[in-house]
Amino acid sequence: MALPYFYVTDLSSSTLTLEEDTSKHIIQVLRMQLNEQLLLTDGKGKKATAVIIDDNRKRCTVKLTDVIHEPEKATGVTIGISLVKNASRFEWFLEKATEIGVTEIIPLLCDRTEKEKFRHDRLQSILVSAMLQSQQCWLPVLHEPINFGEVVKQTTTANKFIAHCLPNEKQQLASTLAHHSPLTTQAAIILIGPEGDFTEKEIATALQLGFQPVALGNTRLRTETAGMVAATLLCQLTSE
Amino acid sequence: MALPYFYVTDLSSSTLTLEEDTSKHIIQVLRMQLNEQLLLTDGKGKKATAVIIDDNRKRCTVKLTDVIHEPEKATGVTIGISLVKNASRFEWFLEKATEIGVTEIIPLLCDRTEKEKFRHDRLQSILVSAMLQSQQCWLPVLHEPINFGEVVKQTTTANKFIAHCLPNEKQQLASTLAHHSPLTTQAAIILIGPEGDFTEKEIATALQLGFQPVALGNTRLRTETAGMVAATLLCQLTSE
């Protein structure tokens, strides 16, 4: 049975007083007691074993007994994905992308994006739960929504892809990755469009700026499914 | 704009009277009229263009004008996956697996499966919606739940995989597929365990019967996420 695993924003001091919610969870819900062990991460690669030295249910205090640091992946995966009308589908994508191990998520505002209010705090907490659930110690970076145009202009990532549904010439992302092993040592970004796809103008702009057009299989995928499929292929085929 | 797309159980006759629900949707919701065109599929590879010849809102009748038949994939993908406690997570898996293009889904009853009632009709309708949504004309076969032991004994598929979390020796499914091109011409099945994983006994039985142990990346995935990741890798890396 793995030790209970919690998120804290800072792991730099050797003794920590945890926030009220976390303290309540540990002392009241899990009924943990003095000298019991738990795990903590700062979501920036640090994973610490700690022991409870004050079981106050509002200000539980722990002492770190062991800290390991997991280096950041060289093959970071960034998913730029349009917001979708149905907020729960976007939240679902965030959970799955985190479980799968993406490093960065950029919500895109495209010509055809039907904007939804963006609740960063709520979405951030979904990322944290998914990171802990999947026993990772790197929290994906979740950006505020950015306009498509700015993202394609500013991206300097080594491997740049854009997934679209127009019948134009494009490769399957899966075969591109399976047959180009150099990719496995470099970071990658892929852009996923809204319901109704990117506009021809958006696609043309991305191609001019060096994005490679790719397909994600032969079926028509929902935005959040496409994001998940892209995250799977990039995380699994660039992390060998 | 694609034509509206509907599911019918039988496309063998050239004139069809559609069921009441479908008729209502076409005539009342979409307000379609005499002589307008729509698409139909039987979920068994047939896709027909049809024209409305009777706009009765309870018994809309159409005449097929063109029928194409898409052959079944040689590289069929079967996912055997444990039922999970949270029904909506299993339903979510069914939607995504269908969008991605799996051919067969076997709900598994494993030693650690926390059984939930299995509502075949409701789940079937999720498959149908996802098939139409993703513009496919093959409906995945959804089995009734089967005991793990029976499935591993009865499977005759060419490529048999079992994904588990024990630290035993196993390959990454992604690299196995990326580097074994013969696979791309054969069907495959993968087994995904319940929360808490397969038991050692279950894994041993599967290995004895020729299942290859595989990992689905380096993070700990929820059951439904593991199913989706496996579906993505198998559908995308065996369908080239």
Side-chain angles (χ1 to χ4, degrees), chain B residues 152-239:
Chain B
V152 287
K153 278 194 208 67
Q154 291 164 12
T155 300
T156 57
T157 313
N159 299 284
K160 306 189 290 186
F161 301 101
I162 181 168
H164 68 77
C165 308
L166 292 184
N168 312 359
E169 192 181 324
K170 53 192 170 182
Q171 271 205 308
Q172 288 289 343
L173 179 62
S175 26
T176 308
L177 296 176
H179 304 139
H180 290 55
S181 40
L183 234 196
T184 62
T185 61
Q186 295 176 303
I189 180 173
I190 187 164
L191 307 180
I192 307 292
E195 289 142 39
D197 206 358
F198 291 114
T199 60
E200 296 204 16
K201 188 162 164 302
E202 286 172 324
I203 295 167
T205 310
L207 299 194
Q208 278 162 21
L209 291 163
F211 281 78
Q212 305 173 50
V214 291
L216 299 170
N218 305 313
T219 61
R220 175 66 58 100
L221 303 174
R222 288 175 176 276
T223 294
E224 77 277 6
T225 316
M228 224 277 328
V229 165
T232 301
L233 294 174
L234 287 169
C235 289
Q236 298 259 332
L237 292 170
T238 62
S239 67

Side-chain angles (χ1 to χ4, degrees), chain A residues 92 96 99 219 224 228, chain B residues 92 96 99 219 224 228:
Chain A
W92 166 83
K96 297 319 177 193
E99 279 185 67
T219 61
E224 77 277 6
M228 226 277 326
Chain B
W92 167 82
K96 296 319 177 193
E99 279 185 67
T219 61
E224 77 277 6
M228 224 277 328

